[in-house]
């Protein structure tokens, strides 16, 4: 099957099946590294607990992006 035929066939699938196909293709390009994923999950859970316990105060995303833009503009 040629690539153009494959694309045409994929485009004819229902939306839900196209989503599954796209996710599968993206996963094949970016293989997860379980060790790194586990470390990130541990950090994310720790930070979530800090926010929930009010040990830290979250910073609104808009404020974060404004600081980043200011840093790179001048």
């Amino acid at each position: 099957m040629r690539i153009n035929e494959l694309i045409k066939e994929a485009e004819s699938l229902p939306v839900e099946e196209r989503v599954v196909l796209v996710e599968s293709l993206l996963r094949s390009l970016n293989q997860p590294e379980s060790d790194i994923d586990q470390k990130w999950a541990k950090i994310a859970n720790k930070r979530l607990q800090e926010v929930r316990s009010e040990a830290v105060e979250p910073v609104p995303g808009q404020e974060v992006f404004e600081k980043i833009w200011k840093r790179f503009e001048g």
Side-chain angles (χ1 to χ4, degrees):
M1 181 179 285
R2 302 190 65 130
I3 189 70
N4 290 339
E5 294 169 345
L6 185 58
I7 291 170
K8 197 170 208 166
E9 176 113 7
E11 288 174 339
S12 71
L13 294 170
V15 172
E16 297 83 8
E17 291 180 19
R18 282 186 277 162
V19 169
V20 171
L21 176 61
V22 168
E23 287 177 345
S24 177
L25 289 171
L26 288 173
R27 258 194 317 273
S28 74
L29 293 173
N30 188 17
Q31 295 286 327
E33 296 182 39
S34 62
D35 186 43
I36 293 172
D37 291 343
Q38 288 175 0
K39 289 178 182 178
W40 274 116
K42 187 175 180 180
I43 291 169
N45 283 326
K46 179 179 180 253
R47 292 184 178 166
L48 177 61
Q49 293 308 315
E50 290 172 343
V51 169
R52 285 184 174 165
S53 70
E54 298 180 353
V56 298
E57 185 176 335
V59 179
Q62 184 64 32
E63 186 178 321
V64 172
F65 289 116
E66 287 172 5
K67 288 180 181 180
I68 292 170
W69 281 114
K70 285 179 184 175
R71 184 178 295 171
F72 289 103
E73 286 176 344

